[in-house]
Amino acid sequence: MKPTTLADLRQLKKEKRKFATITAYDASFAHLFAEQGINVMLIGDSLGMTVQGFDSTLPVTVEDISYHTRSVRNGAPNAFLIADLPFMSYATPEQSFASAAALMRAGANMVKIEGGDWLCNTVKMLAERAVPVCGHLGLTPQSVNILGGYKVQGRSEDAAQKLLNDAIALENAGMQLLVLECVPAELAKRVTDALDIPVIGIGAGNMTDAQILVMHDALGITAKAPKFAKDFLKETGNIRDAINLYIEEVESGAYPDKAHSFN
Ligand code: KIV
């Protein structure tokens, strides 16, 4: 199989074909996900909670993400890998260069950063230095102490407009993918329609170009899963069938339905 590229993902958006992505942290699951047909994986700083057992993503370091990125790359040599730049590893553009270099050397194809238009310069400078950037707007877990919890974002018209403006500014700065987390489905559609780049939703309704789930949520492992999460293992009884069902439901638009979305 040939490696998946950003051009492939843009083509899917152009053809209005939805695609499923998932978080992965180790070689065995990465291999299984790739075998079932998931070609895009995120080494998310959610590993601070799912793998390390912390109550937020804040303790995660660049070294942690590098370690897991190497493992995922070993398990899925042809997948397109997005690796999270963790908390405080991109506070300045200069700091982001060193952090991004470590993740790209570990096998990432792209780095993901959380935040709005204050990151435009960082996105531009990383892109100029051959590092593709995925943005992350809406509920940005690294800002949990500012947001006051893991809450739905963009509910007021002002907040929605600000999020849309941020997305457009970041795309103009060179962002090549966007993750939109926990926003009303209608706002996610506005952002998806406004951008040329693919938009990946999580808790953002079924009108984005793609979906992502934390693998522990998709497999029913998370003790207190968020409203938008669906346990595909419960419906199928084995992991391969669960992943196949997740892919099928994302591609058809069946997941997320209204019960797993915010309106
Ligand atoms: O860290 C992570 O797993 C993420 C997803 C929730 C998108 O950022």
Side-chain angles (χ1 to χ4, degrees), residues 76-247:
N78 293 320
F80 187 85
L81 299 188
I82 309 166
D84 261 340
L85 283 179
F87 178 64
M88 276 295 156
S89 69
Y90 54 98
T92 64
E94 287 66 28
Q95 200 187 4
S96 76
F97 301 157
S99 308
L103 302 191
M104 300 298 279
R105 288 195 182 108
N109 299 107
M110 169 178 244
V111 299
K112 178 163 80 59
I113 54 183
E114 297 183 5
D117 59 4
W118 69 274
L119 283 170
C120 283
N121 206 23
T122 300
V123 169
K124 180 172 177 287
M125 292 174 89
L126 283 171
E128 285 167 351
R129 286 155 182 77
V131 179
V133 180
C134 176
H136 185 153
L137 293 171
L139 171 54
T140 46
Q142 291 172 18
S143 305
V144 62
N145 292 304
I146 298 276
L147 300 176
Y150 299 100
K151 299 175 187 163
V152 181
Q153 303 295 309
R155 282 216 191 263
S156 72
E157 184 46 37
D158 281 357
Q161 192 57 50
K162 161 90 175 94
L163 192 151
L164 181 60
N165 293 346
D166 281 346
I168 293 169
L170 287 164
E171 181 179 53
N172 290 337
M175 171 178 76
Q176 305 235 40
L177 282 181
L178 173 65
V179 167
L180 256 190
E181 180 166 354
C182 282
V183 298
E186 301 76 12
L187 172 58
K189 179 175 170 13
R190 275 169 74 188
V191 175
T192 303
D193 290 348
L195 301 189
D196 288 330
I197 60 167
V199 175
I200 304 173
I202 173 163
N206 66 359
M207 290 176 281
T208 53
D209 302 304
Q211 296 291 329
I212 187 158
L213 272 181
V214 169
M215 58 164 278
H216 294 66
D217 291 348
L219 298 176
I221 300 167
T222 311
K224 200 164 168 275
K227 167 190 156 98
F228 58 79
K230 179 166 170 181
D231 177 356
F232 290 91
L233 185 58
K234 195 161 136 199
E235 286 195 28
T236 54
N238 79 75
I239 294 177
R240 285 181 194 277
D241 288 345
I243 297 304
N244 284 343
L245 182 62
Y246 169 54
I247 297 171

